Amino acid sequence: KQQGRNNFQWYTSDLNERVCEHARLRNDLQKAIDTELLELHYQPQIETRTGRVSGIEALLRWEHPQRGFISPAVFVPVAEDSGQIIPLSLWVLDTACAQLRQLGEQGITGISMAVNISPMHFQRGHFVQFVQNILEKHGLCGEQLELEITESLLLHNAEQAIDTLHRLKALGVRIALDDFGTGFSSLSYLKRLPIDKIKIDRSFIQELDTDCHDAAIIQGIISMAHHLSLTVVAEGVETESQAAFLKGSRCDVLQGYYFAKPMNYEALEVFLRG
Ligand code: C2E
Ligand code: MG
Ligand code: MG
Ligand code: MG
């Protein structure tokens, strides 16, 4: 009984700690949004057929004044819980499109911009209108923008989500299904979703060199995707042998530290000038 109590005590203080941490992060994040402490970094995506950079993915970066770098994997879920993801996501789309236009003005063209979209933002009423306004504001055409979504989008109102995807596609915007293979019923979604691309999750690429099952799974995914006329991106490519295997397996686009880490706009411009 005594032990039970102690355990309970321990459990509640642990829970309290987590609630406090969550509240602290939320407060600090609001300050970061208000004072523009957030930044976008960009990671190049390489087309295997030509070896050229065909796209870049925008990734949020937050340098906390006291705590240093905080991963979006940590603060994006906090922002989703608090609703802060909406203003944050609007800022990301606006900034990413502004910088793509800036690249164009520097003579760097033929590159598309991929932006991660939270289900919560995607499901908001005016999302499509907002995307259209942003494209017009920066003088971009829909084909230059790619939105990365995940299967979790379909958990709540699948019909509405599919309708939104169709309306985005009518603008020319491309849709990529991120973290493919980590969800629960990927295959049935592939049939229903009007998407252009799938991004094979990093976890499959990581153990390619040591796990022959991953190699088989990846080749299966690529073959299936091509039969469905989808483009395949591999994320988290870190080694030459992974890149060689993926290229040999006719994966269309590669992204990962082996080619380039995410970098700020200035570094990106230098990288793209090559
Ligand atoms: P994601 O969209 O799947 O992004 C890929 C993640 O893999 C990024 O982590 C990227 O930096 C990392 N990565 C790329 N290549 C390699 C590699 O070769 N090795 C390893 N170990 N990692 C690699 P990051 O930037 O920490 O982002 C984590 C997640 O946070 C993203 O996963 C995405 O779900 C979310 N996120 C980032 N930016 C945004 C944003 O603007 N909006 C929303 N809603 N979510 C975002
Ligand atoms: Mg992504
Ligand atoms: Mg991903
Ligand atoms: Mg991921």
Side-chain angles (χ1 to χ4, degrees):
K1 188 175 177 190
Q2 183 109 37
Q3 213 180 18
R5 259 203 190 143
N6 280 340
N7 279 343
F8 182 69
Q9 198 75 36
W10 178 80
Y11 173 73
T12 48
S13 69
D14 185 49
L15 189 66
N16 276 338
E17 180 49 44
R18 273 192 289 146
V19 171
C20 286
E21 163 68 5
H22 204 275
R24 253 196 313 269
L25 268 181
R26 193 171 48 205
N27 272 327
D28 291 355
L29 183 59
Q30 192 57 48
K31 280 185 216 145
I33 295 171
D34 295 341
T35 58
E36 294 173 29
L37 271 181
L38 298 169
E39 224 190 342
L40 286 183
H41 280 199
Y42 302 95
Q43 188 176 34
Q45 303 177 322
I46 285 79
E47 187 176 60
T48 48
R49 195 174 51 82
T50 58
R52 73 172 201 96
V53 177
S54 55
I56 48 185
E57 179 177 6
L59 294 158
L60 262 171
R61 292 293 176 259
W62 178 16
E63 190 70 30
H64 189 285
Q66 282 88 40
R67 298 165 63 174
F69 174 75
I70 301 181
S71 165
V74 172
F75 71 81
V76 165
V78 171
E80 283 173 338
D81 274 357
S82 66
Q84 288 163 311
I85 193 67
I86 306 292
L88 195 56
S89 189
L90 297 177
W91 178 83
V92 170
L93 262 171
D94 189 34
T95 307
C97 287
Q99 301 216 296
L100 185 63
R101 183 211 173 115
Q102 201 177 331
L103 281 180
E105 286 165 354
Q106 301 299 313
I108 301 168
T109 54
I111 290 176
S112 61
M113 174 67 78
V115 177
N116 293 284
I117 300 294
S118 286
M120 195 180 180
H121 189 202
F122 188 89
Q123 280 150 351
R124 288 277 283 224
H126 304 295
F127 182 72
V128 179
Q129 187 60 52
F130 178 79
V131 169
Q132 188 172 4
N133 293 346
I134 288 277
L135 290 170
E136 278 166 16
K137 173 179 171 190
H138 298 292
L140 300 175
C141 56
E143 287 74 12
Q144 290 174 277
L145 180 65
E146 187 172 298
L147 300 179
E148 296 194 2
I149 58 165
T150 55
E151 287 174 6
S152 59
L153 189 68
L154 298 173
L155 281 180
H156 300 296
N157 192 340
E159 293 315 314
Q160 191 204 331
I162 291 171
D163 178 62
T164 304
L165 288 172
H166 280 297
R167 288 192 291 133
L168 287 166
K169 293 205 59 166
L171 296 178
V173 172
R174 305 241 157 78
I175 309 290
L177 191 58
D178 207 350
D179 304 335
F180 185 80
T182 59
F184 39 91
S185 81
S186 315
L187 298 183
S188 70
Y189 287 149
L190 273 192
K191 217 173 59 172
R192 297 177 60 199
L193 287 179
I195 55 173
D196 304 283
K197 271 189 186 180
I198 57 171
K199 296 187 76 174
I200 304 178
D201 192 69
R202 178 150 57 90
S203 55
F204 294 101
I205 316 298
Q206 233 159 18
E207 284 165 38
L208 243 185
D209 298 330
T210 50
D211 187 340
C212 61
H213 294 120
D214 280 335
I217 291 170
I218 288 171
Q219 288 181 325
I221 293 175
I222 294 173
S223 154
M224 175 185 65
H226 283 166
H227 279 108
L228 295 168
S229 303
L230 299 170
T231 301
V232 187
V233 185
E235 63 177 16
V237 181
E238 292 186 355
T239 68
E240 188 179 356
S241 67
Q242 290 166 353
F245 172 83
L246 289 159
K247 196 173 175 200
S249 306
R250 303 205 308 119
C251 185
D252 305 288
V253 179
L254 307 182
Q255 178 181 354
Y257 294 171
Y258 175 66
F259 299 98
K261 290 196 168 175
M263 57 190 102
N264 67 19
Y265 178 82
E266 287 70 31
L268 177 73
E269 241 193 67
V270 173
F271 182 90
L272 293 176
R273 284 233 170 75

